[in-house]
Amino acid sequence: MIDFTLLSAVLIGIIILLVLILYFKIQAFIALLIASIGVGVLSGMSPLSIIKTIQEGMGNTLGFVAVVVGLGAMFGAILEHSGGAESLAKFLINKFGEKYASWALMLTGFLVAIPVFFDVAFIILVPIIYALQRKTGKSLLLYGIPLLAGLAITHSFIPPTPGPVAVADIIKVNLGWVILMGFIVGIPTAIVCGPIFAKYIAKHIHIEAPKLKMDNNTLKTYPSVRLILSIIATPIVLIILNTLFNSPIGQNILPQKVAHWLTMIGHPFSALIIANLIAWYALGILKGFSKEKLLDITTQSMGPAGIIILLTGAGGVFKQMLVNTGTGTMLANYFSNAGISILLFAFIAAALVRILQGSATVAMITAAGLTSPLITDASLSEPQKALIVIAIASGATIMSHVNDSGFWLVSKYLGLSEKQTFKSWTVMTTILALIGLASTFFLSLLI
């Protein structure tokens, strides 16, 4: 049974959120807090309860997310400044050859975006696609789209990037399962919206790279690819092993005391600390970076990480408001009785917010807040919850357009007009989202 007072409170709260972001241009962190307060007031909560809910939602969310995002940001910054991303890209392109360069770029984006933020990774790797275009004379989109597809998919689907970490924490699902499902869904999705779509769109839109300028990067000594892959794989492998150790199979194989210690080592906190220490030493100290330089690199990485942490905490407040007002339980019962898939609801919620206000992170966090109470009452397994995280991530990636900073980043660096950006980048993100949704539905039937 629908309580229209509660439903109206949620709808008005979402409208407040969008109006504040779109019309008044208020920072999303403050907008989410104001929208959460609006839901509480309209639902009839007492003022003191509203304040306690804000504190509860913020504290419960940031206890995990703040550590993971902070460590992940420092980890990515070391890889960025050491030249690790360029090293990996050049190696893969040399291995794949010019004929399969688009596939190499897709794989490069897929791997590099695990530790490095999307926009940073794209800017670092853009010179490589410029060089390829100048060498082959083919459209820049043949190389740019696969790179962007790999970056966008990993950035949205696979922890420790902030979006899936935040959604996983709000929904309360093991990160190991999210990583596993992210890879399973992400690989075929990247193939279709990367090299396959790039081959099509490159025939219809010919773009040339900017005129060649002096490239100082040719003088850089790059770290070995084996080292880079080992460092990137370290936290992922440890987190996945942690998931296995916590499974019934792992608990039966290992002695309890050993399993407990291995579980600690494989926790995202410990895994990222270990990865940071290895990166600081192997890519920093051994490469001649001073301690002061390393401190400066990691300190600067906290700037963008701080914004994401606060935004995620505000999303946790929004979720907690829905839980404490009883709206979540009411919606869960309604969708259960109506037979509407939680996967589809999660995708649509994220897609609507994404299209209306542009930010994939805001869309993911808002959709997670709306979906979390439904999951609580649905008794889903960990793999099923992980698929919902991927469905939310898919919806939050759809139809990037003029209200998304990524749209203008791609347009600027690839030299595209707005119309060309719509035909290439916007279509690519839409294909990505729809294939991601279809893949999660298919996997949900098997699990």
Side-chain angles (χ1 to χ4, degrees), residues 6 15 33 82 135 155 167 179 183 222 260 264 274 284 316:
L6 292 178
I15 292 170
L33 292 178
S82 68
K135 182 178 180 181
H155 183 74
V167 175
I179 291 172
F183 271 105
Y222 295 107
H260 285 167
M264 176 184 171
I274 292 169

Side-chain angles (χ1 to χ4, degrees), residues 162-218:
V165 167
V167 175
D169 185 63
I170 291 172
I171 288 178
K172 303 302 177 190
V173 57
N174 186 288
L175 277 186
W177 281 110
V178 178
I179 291 172
L180 183 60
M181 294 301 169
F183 271 105
I184 293 173
V185 174
I187 291 172
T189 305
I191 290 171
V192 175
C193 67
I196 293 177
F197 176 66
K199 188 175 181 180
Y200 165 81
I201 198 64
K203 293 178 180 178
H204 294 80
I205 302 176
H206 183 80
I207 301 294
E208 294 187 355
K211 292 188 181 297
L212 185 62
K213 297 179 181 178
M214 184 64 67
D215 187 6
N216 294 327
N217 287 335
T218 56

Side-chain angles (χ1 to χ4, degrees), residues 174-403:
N174 186 288
L175 277 186
W177 281 110
V178 178
I179 291 172
L180 183 60
M181 294 301 169
F183 271 105
I184 293 173
V185 174
I187 291 172
T189 305
I191 290 171
V192 175
C193 67
I196 293 177
F197 176 66
K199 188 175 181 180
Y200 165 81
I201 198 64
K203 293 178 180 178
H204 294 80
I205 302 176
H206 183 80
I207 301 294
E208 294 187 355
K211 292 188 181 297
L212 185 62
K213 297 179 181 178
M214 184 64 67
D215 187 6
N216 294 327
N217 287 335
T218 56
L219 301 176
K220 182 182 289 186
T221 302
Y222 295 107
S224 73
V225 172
R226 183 177 297 178
L227 176 63
I228 296 301
L229 288 175
S230 299
I231 294 173
I232 292 175
T234 296
I236 295 173
V237 170
L238 289 175
I239 292 169
I240 292 176
L241 287 176
N242 178 34
T243 301
L244 295 176
F245 296 148
N246 280 308
S247 69
I249 297 175
Q251 291 174 352
N252 291 331
I253 293 175
L254 299 169
Q256 189 175 24
K257 184 173 287 189
V258 174
H260 285 167
W261 277 104
L262 291 176
T263 298
M264 176 184 171
I265 294 171
H267 189 279
F269 292 178
S270 306
L272 283 167
I273 289 172
I274 292 169
N276 267 290
L277 292 174
I278 295 172
W280 292 344
Y281 180 72
L283 300 178
I285 301 298
L286 291 183
K287 297 297 180 182
F289 282 70
S290 66
K291 296 175 183 177
E292 291 74 17
K293 178 64 175 177
L294 284 172
L295 178 61
D296 183 54
I297 290 171
T298 52
T299 301
Q300 288 182 12
S301 72
M302 291 294 98
I307 295 172
I308 293 168
I309 288 168
L310 288 175
L311 183 58
T312 303
V317 171
F318 188 77
K319 177 210 77 169
Q320 198 63 44
M321 198 65 71
L322 295 181
V323 172
N324 289 4
T325 58
T327 308
T329 302
M330 182 265 294
L331 289 174
N333 291 334
Y334 173 76
F335 285 112
S336 177
N337 294 332
I340 297 174
S341 166
I342 296 177
L343 271 176
L344 182 60
F345 172 81
F347 175 86
I348 292 174
L352 287 174
V353 178
R354 157 70 161 182
I355 293 167
L356 288 170
Q357 57 78 48
S359 170
T361 304
V362 173
M364 292 175 75
I365 292 170
T366 304
L370 290 167
T371 308
S372 176
L374 280 64
I375 295 172
T376 302
D377 291 357
S379 301
L380 300 176
S381 65
E382 289 291 309
Q384 289 170 329
K385 290 180 183 178
L387 286 176
I388 290 173
V389 174
I390 305 303
I392 289 173
S394 299
T397 310
I398 200 169
M399 205 178 294
S400 168
H401 61 95
V402 294
N403 62 2

Side-chain angles (χ1 to χ4, degrees), residues 405-416:
S405 60
F407 178 93
W408 300 107
L409 184 75
V410 172
S411 175
K412 173 185 175 183
Y413 277 91
L414 298 188
L416 301 169

Side-chain angles (χ1 to χ4, degrees), residues 101-117:
S102 60
W103 292 81
L105 287 162
M106 177 202 72
L107 185 57
T108 299
F110 199 91
L111 294 174
V112 170
I114 294 172
V116 182
F117 288 148

